[in-house]
Amino acid sequence: MAKVEHSFIEPGRNVTLKETKMEFSEGIKRLQLKLGVIFLKKGVALLLIGFLLGRALILSHLTPFSLPFFASVYMMRRKKAPIVLIGLAAGALTVSMGNAIYTLISGILFLIVFKIFGRIHKDEMKVIPFYVLSISFVSKCGFFYIQHLQNISMYDGMMAAVEASLTFILTLIFMQSIPFLSLRKRKKTLKTEEVVSLIILLASVLTGTIGWSMYDLSIEHILSRYLVLLFAYVAGATVGSTVGVVTGLIFSLANVSSFYQMSLLAFSGLLGGLLKEGKKIGSAMGLLIATLLIGMYGESKIPLVVNLYESAVAIFLLFLTPQSLTSKIAKHIPGTNEHAHEQQQYIRKIRDITVHRVEQFSSVFQALSKSFSQYDQWREHDQEERELDYFLSNVTEKTCQSCFKKEHCWAKNFNKTYDLMKKVIHETEKGEGAIPQRVHREFDKHCAKSRKVEDAILQELTFFQANQKLKLQVKESRKLVAEQLRGVSEVMGDFAKEIQRERENHHKQEEMILDALQDFGLDIEQVEIYSLNVGNVDIDMTVPYCNGHGESEKIIAPLLSDILGETIIVQKEECTPYSNGFCYVTFRSAQSFVVETGVAHAAKGGGFVSGDSYSTIDLGTRKYAVAISDGMGNGERAHHESNETLRLLQTILQSGIEEKVAIKSVNSILSLRTTDEIFSTLDLAMIDLQDASVRFLKIGSTPSYIKRGNKVMKIESSNLPMGIIHEFDVDVVSEQLKAGDLLIMMSDGIFEGPKHVENYDLWMRRKIREIETKDPQEIADLIMEEVIRTRSGMIEDDMTIVVAKVEHNTPKWAAIPIGKRKAKIS
């Protein structure tokens, strides 16, 4: 017997619970999509709503819902208008044949009138309510006239006017509600008017169920309580009670005996919303409590047990409602957690798009910078040979082309001729037009027209050198542009990172700071921490209005200083104008150091306009800049040049570009904007207020001095003034300052001003060392006075001196120890 090669039962595929859940959820999504297409796209939902609105009555015989709903659908979803008219007529037919005929005639009359007069109006949406108003009044009067055997009373006319007025209002409401009955993507947030309009539409639809019952349970009661319960669970007590009041009011207008329903629905919406934190069970308990209270103490004719059964069915429907549907509804209603999360996602998306665009611009500038900087790299190795070949081609074209020895020189002795020509060019350029006799004799032996060739080389060399100078300027400008583009790219990249940085989660630290401040006896409403990084603390607080006593500065900031272990100050405070309001306070880390400056300056000959300019700039990034610029010469032209230098420098530095790139950019602008020989010096000191480090960038300026006790240190550099050359390297001198140090910067009018002094440096050091005062302004005045005294009171040049004193930043209010340090909350 042959062996059986295969088993009769194949092993089953391993099915995990996770895969089953995914398949089930995908099936649910497909079912929801199909139902959405059937009900919304195919118009089945509009047909059902039309059927119920066709049945809906107000005061037992008014039908104000049909015509407004048909007109709204006709204007907004015109292809579905015939389906809606059929649904309205079918619903009206369940009431009476006369209502069905009236509904059809009023709808057809609206179409005829709108076709005739609709083209007259530019904005059709604004005039539709007036069309509905007039058509409703005319058709209702005609209906009463026929119904009462060609007789109409004053009461009938008043009822027709009431119905026409209701149709006018309902048209405005339905026109805001119809867009919800489509598959089109709507905006995420609904306005209050849109929420109320949607509630009125749903309540109006539910009035079409009046009279329906199942096992002695009223369908209208079940659905209305379910509607209120759903909105209370989704949106809270405010929206829940509003839905209850609106639904109950419409039900009471439709059936006076249902007036008690308003109390029940409003109370259940309020309780259900208040208990929504207990999820669906909490909202359900709210409805049961409201049903018991209203049923026992109200004037309802319905037995309490029946009311409880109806509420139980509504609760059962709430538990059957999928969580995805409630979440989707909550996303559209302001005030819900889902809506807030949706808004945060939208803001995050906008932020990410902005960051992406900024990063793209940064990448573009980086690529341009790289392109400019690498433009000549691949050509450098053969550039010189190519330029020499062009040079020789131009020379030989003028001389050798017509020579009888052309074949002998360039065909038979090419290398020798080429080397000799190259040697002549080199010697001509080296000797500035003069060729050594030895080279001339050697070349004359080889060339029959040596003098003519030498003259051509000299002439061509002039053009060649001018061309080389122009190329060098272009290359230097290209390099400068590359650095500027790189600087802009870095600034935009930093800006993108700053945008992308989200607020960190500091809930625990917020609670601990709030407890610490409240234990001290302070009433704090809210604490929001954005950053706890050392030197970059950022905290916002909401505190009660203190009537101008300064509690934030005098008490809260010192307490935070002790808690966080660093000095905290009030950066901004906004208070409400009334006594029971609040103040919104921003606390930030204080700077570790502060700079106090003193300035003394004088124009040449005691004039009013000085060629020197100075500036002290707080860059806002914990950096402080002190700058002096000396324009060439004196008077208005020099003043304009130096002032323009500082203005450009300040603008570029405040944009966030590094100081070296900023200085090179200013130099490029000054050198390229005019052909006049107008130059200016620049003496710049960048002080870091966090660690007191300082960077000196000196462009053609005089030395600066740092005084620390009795010690005087000299700071100097050897850069040319700005505007002389297009490209230069900026030498940066870095020093570490200490608290109490004095930084003294001056123009050449001060440094070289003393008369009959051989060594200006020693004289200045001695004078600075001898000064006993620590006040920056007094030091500046004393040094200038000493310089002027040496010249017998004469001011021979523009003079400017700036003295900056660095000190620890001592807060106005000392820290208040409360025993909770940063280690406990970090």
Side-chain angles (χ1 to χ4, degrees):
M1 183 181 290
K3 292 183 178 180
V4 179
E5 296 292 338
H6 301 284
S7 61
F8 291 101
I9 302 176
E10 293 290 338
R13 183 174 64 91
N14 292 327
V15 181
T16 62
L17 182 61
K18 186 176 180 181
E19 291 177 350
T20 306
K21 286 183 177 180
M22 289 180 62
E23 292 176 358
F24 180 75
S25 61
E26 290 178 358
I28 294 295
K29 288 181 181 179
R30 287 195 295 268
L31 179 62
Q32 289 177 349
L33 185 61
K34 289 181 180 178
L35 290 176
V37 171
I38 293 172
F39 278 89
L40 300 179
K41 192 172 182 179
K42 300 295 183 182
V44 175
L46 291 173
L47 178 66
L48 295 176
I49 292 173
F51 177 80
L52 293 175
L53 289 177
R55 282 178 43 81
L57 298 175
I58 293 293
L59 301 177
S60 301
H61 62 281
L62 298 182
T63 58
F65 301 104
S66 300
L67 184 57
F69 187 69
F70 173 71
S72 300
V73 173
Y74 179 78
M75 292 304 300
M76 307 191 81
R77 298 188 65 185
R78 190 160 298 184
K79 292 182 180 180
K80 307 301 179 186
I83 298 175
V84 170
L85 187 58
I86 293 172
L88 290 169
L93 186 62
T94 61
V95 178
S96 68
M97 180 61 73
N99 275 340
I101 295 172
Y102 166 73
T103 301
L104 284 172
I105 290 175
S106 60
I108 294 171
L109 184 61
F110 168 79
L111 292 175
I112 295 171
V113 173
F114 185 77
K115 285 291 184 182
I116 296 173
F117 298 103
R119 298 177 182 177
I120 301 174
H121 309 285
K122 293 182 179 179
D123 193 349
E124 298 175 345
M125 302 296 288
K126 291 184 178 180
V127 299
I128 286 298
F130 297 97
Y131 278 99
V132 172
L133 173 69
S134 56
I135 293 171
S136 174
F137 181 75
V138 171
S139 57
K140 198 66 178 180
C141 288
F143 178 74
F144 284 148
Y145 183 77
I146 296 172
Q147 188 180 34
H148 296 160
L149 301 175
Q150 300 181 355
N151 185 22
I152 185 169
S153 63
M154 181 66 72
Y155 175 78
D156 293 335
M158 290 180 62
M159 287 296 101
V162 169
E163 181 172 327
S165 302
L166 288 174
T167 57
F168 180 85
I169 297 172
L170 288 171
T171 303
L172 296 174
I173 293 172
F174 289 164
M175 287 175 69
Q176 294 191 63
S177 305
I178 294 301
F180 295 109
L181 305 174
S182 65
L183 283 176
R184 295 177 183 175
K185 288 186 177 180
R186 286 187 47 81
K187 59 184 181 180
K188 297 297 181 184
T189 305
L190 299 181
K191 295 184 290 186
T192 306
E193 296 83 359
E194 292 176 324
V195 175
V196 174
S197 299
L198 178 61
I199 293 169
I200 292 175
L201 173 63
L202 295 175
S204 302
V205 171
L206 293 183
T207 56
T209 63
I210 292 178
W212 290 359
S213 63
M214 181 182 296
Y215 298 106
D216 295 329
L217 301 180
S218 175
I219 300 297
E220 59 177 292
H221 293 167
I222 294 173
L223 294 180
S224 62
R225 293 174 195 179
Y226 168 69
L227 178 66
V228 172
L229 195 60
L230 178 64
F231 275 92
Y233 168 68
V234 167
T238 305
V239 177
S241 57
T242 303
V243 174
V245 170
V246 172
T247 307
L249 179 61
I250 293 176
F251 270 51
S252 63
L253 290 175
N255 187 0
V256 180
S257 61
S258 300
F259 189 76
Y260 82 97
Q261 287 289 329
M262 188 191 310
S263 303
L264 173 59
L265 295 175
F267 193 34
S268 61
L270 177 64
L271 289 180
L274 292 174
L275 298 175
K276 65 168 290 191
E277 296 300 326
K279 305 301 181 183
K280 291 183 179 179
I281 296 177
S283 297
M285 291 300 296
L287 176 60
L288 287 177
I289 293 171
T291 305
L292 282 171
L293 292 175
I294 299 297
M296 288 189 297
Y297 299 104
E299 297 179 356
S300 173
K301 298 178 182 179
I302 302 175
L304 178 60
V305 176
V306 175
N307 266 329
L308 288 174
Y309 282 151
E310 290 172 348
S311 297
V313 175
I315 292 170
F316 178 71
L317 291 177
L318 176 67
F319 278 98
L320 288 181
T321 305
Q323 189 67 31
S324 58
L325 178 61
T326 58
S327 298
K328 189 177 293 185
I329 296 173
K331 288 179 182 179
H332 295 281
I333 301 177
T336 61
N337 294 331
E338 290 81 359
H339 175 264
H341 181 66
E342 193 75 13
Q343 289 298 106
Q344 288 178 356
Q345 284 187 332
Y346 175 74
I347 293 172
R348 192 176 292 115
K349 182 179 179 181
I350 295 298
R351 183 206 63 198
D352 291 342
I353 292 173
T354 305
V355 168
H356 180 64
R357 293 293 293 169
V358 173
E359 287 178 342
Q360 282 184 327
F361 283 122
S362 177
S363 300
V364 168
F365 284 115
Q366 184 69 26
L368 289 173
S369 171
K370 189 175 181 181
S371 176
F372 274 106
S373 60
Q374 294 180 349
Y375 182 77
D376 289 325
Q377 290 183 2
W378 62 275
R379 302 173 57 188
E380 287 180 354
H381 65 282
D382 60 345
Q383 184 72 14
E384 293 182 2
E385 294 184 3
R386 185 182 293 112
E387 290 178 351
L388 181 62
D389 291 343
Y390 288 149
F391 186 92
L392 290 176
S393 297
N394 293 331
V395 172
T396 55
E397 185 179 356
K398 297 176 183 178
T399 56
C400 299
Q401 289 293 339
S402 59
C403 182
F404 66 94
K405 294 183 68 177
K406 174 184 176 183
E407 186 74 16
H408 172 77
C409 294
W410 292 104
K412 298 180 180 179
N413 299 287
F414 176 82
N415 291 334
K416 184 178 181 182
T417 305
Y418 186 85
D419 292 339
L420 280 172
M421 292 280 281
K422 189 175 178 180
K423 189 174 183 180
V424 171
I425 293 172
H426 177 70
E427 293 296 338
T428 303
E429 185 177 11
K430 183 178 179 182
E432 297 182 356
I435 304 175
Q437 287 296 324
R438 179 180 54 79
V439 177
H440 174 70
R441 286 194 297 270
E442 184 181 359
F443 185 62
D444 188 52
K445 291 179 182 179
H446 181 77
C447 179
K449 298 180 178 180
S450 60
R451 180 60 62 183
K452 185 177 180 180
V453 173
E454 289 174 0
D455 292 340
I457 288 175
L458 182 61
Q459 182 181 4
E460 190 66 29
L461 189 62
T462 305
F463 296 109
F464 177 76
Q465 289 175 342
N467 190 34
Q468 288 296 103
K469 184 177 180 181
L470 180 61
K471 286 183 178 180
L472 182 61
Q473 290 180 349
V474 171
K475 184 178 180 181
E476 291 172 350
S477 299
R478 189 182 295 124
K479 185 178 179 182
L480 175 65
V481 170
E483 291 183 353
Q484 291 172 336
L485 290 172
R486 190 181 303 112
V488 173
S489 173
E490 291 174 356
V491 170
M492 298 190 75
D494 294 339
F495 179 57
K497 292 177 183 177
E498 187 176 343
I499 295 174
Q500 201 168 23
R501 186 182 63 191
E502 293 188 25
R503 178 192 167 195
E504 297 179 16
N505 194 348
H506 293 108
H507 294 306
K508 184 178 178 181
Q509 292 88 337
E510 288 171 359
E511 291 295 329
M512 296 183 73
I513 288 179
L514 188 62
D515 292 341
L517 295 176
Q518 288 178 346
D519 290 344
F520 194 79
L522 294 172
D523 186 12
I524 307 296
E525 290 292 325
Q526 188 178 9
V527 176
E528 290 185 358
I529 298 176
Y530 292 91
S531 173
L532 285 176
N533 297 331
V534 177
N536 192 31
V537 173
D538 189 356
I539 301 175
D540 284 353
M541 284 191 191
T542 304
V543 299
Y545 182 57
C546 62
N547 295 314
H549 297 314
E551 290 182 1
S552 300
E553 180 186 14
K554 299 175 183 177
I555 300 177
I556 300 178
L559 288 172
L560 289 176
S561 299
D562 182 74
I563 293 172
L564 300 176
E566 63 176 293
T567 304
I568 305 297
I569 60 172
V570 175
Q571 186 193 42
K572 185 174 65 173
E573 184 174 12
E574 296 179 358
C575 293
T576 53
Y578 45 90
S579 58
N580 294 328
F582 295 94
C583 292
Y584 304 95
V585 191
T586 299
F587 297 92
R588 298 295 298 271
S589 295
Q591 298 166 348
S592 300
F593 294 88
V594 291
V595 177
E596 181 184 358
T597 58
V599 181
H601 59 96
K604 181 179 179 181
F608 294 102
V609 180
S610 171
D612 296 347
S613 295
Y614 69 92
S615 181
T616 55
I617 314 164
D618 188 354
L619 297 177
T621 54
R622 302 188 182 278
K623 287 187 178 181
Y624 194 88
V626 181
I628 297 177
S629 179
D630 182 4
M632 188 184 73
N634 311 102
E636 292 187 3
R637 183 66 184 271
H639 172 76
H640 174 76
E641 200 67 26
S642 61
N643 192 57
E644 186 70 11
T645 299
L646 292 184
R647 187 188 65 81
L648 290 170
L649 180 67
Q650 179 175 347
T651 303
I652 298 174
L653 285 176
Q654 287 177 336
S655 69
I657 294 178
E658 186 188 14
E659 50 266 22
K660 287 181 67 173
V661 178
I663 289 176
K664 289 185 178 182
S665 302
V666 174
N667 176 73
S668 174
I669 294 170
L670 294 178
S671 60
L672 294 176
R673 71 178 183 178
T674 179
T675 57
D676 297 340
E677 292 186 351
I678 298 293
F679 316 123
S680 59
T681 66
L682 178 64
D683 195 357
L684 174 65
M686 297 285 292
I687 305 173
D688 192 319
L689 298 178
Q690 202 62 33
D691 58 9
S693 61
V694 59
R695 286 159 54 91
F696 293 93
L697 294 91
K698 293 182 165 293
I699 313 298
S701 60
T702 57
S704 298
Y705 296 90
I706 296 174
K707 183 180 181 183
R708 182 176 299 157
N710 292 323
K711 184 180 179 182
V712 179
M713 295 173 284
K714 179 183 176 183
I715 308 296
E716 62 180 344
S717 181
S718 58
N719 293 314
L720 290 173
M722 304 183 74
I724 293 181
I725 57 176
H726 294 279
E727 176 64 21
F728 65 96
D729 292 325
V730 180
D731 292 333
V732 180
V733 180
S734 299
E735 289 289 341
Q736 181 63 50
L737 299 179
K738 296 181 179 180
D741 284 358
L742 291 166
L743 171 60
I744 302 166
M745 302 167 62
M746 63 195 73
S747 64
D748 58 351
I750 294 287
F751 183 73
E752 300 173 358
K755 193 175 183 180
H756 306 302
V757 173
E758 294 183 3
N759 193 321
Y760 297 119
D761 177 45
L762 290 177
W763 185 90
M764 188 60 66
R765 284 172 181 264
R766 180 171 58 84
K767 289 298 179 183
I768 293 174
R769 191 180 297 110
E770 290 174 353
I771 294 175
E772 296 181 358
T773 180
K774 297 293 184 180
D775 183 79
Q777 187 60 53
E778 292 181 2
I779 294 173
D781 293 336
L782 287 172
I783 293 177
M784 176 167 282
E785 184 179 353
E786 286 290 335
V787 173
I788 296 175
R789 282 178 182 274
T790 61
R791 292 192 171 270
S792 302
M794 299 298 294
I795 303 176
E796 301 292 340
D797 193 5
D798 298 323
M799 297 182 179
T800 301
I801 180 170
V802 179
V803 180
K805 183 180 181 182
V806 179
E807 288 286 5
H808 282 300
N809 184 17
T810 304
K812 185 177 179 181
W813 300 92
I816 301 175
I818 59 175
K820 295 189 178 183
R821 306 296 298 178
K822 184 178 179 181
K824 297 182 180 180
I825 68 168
S826 60

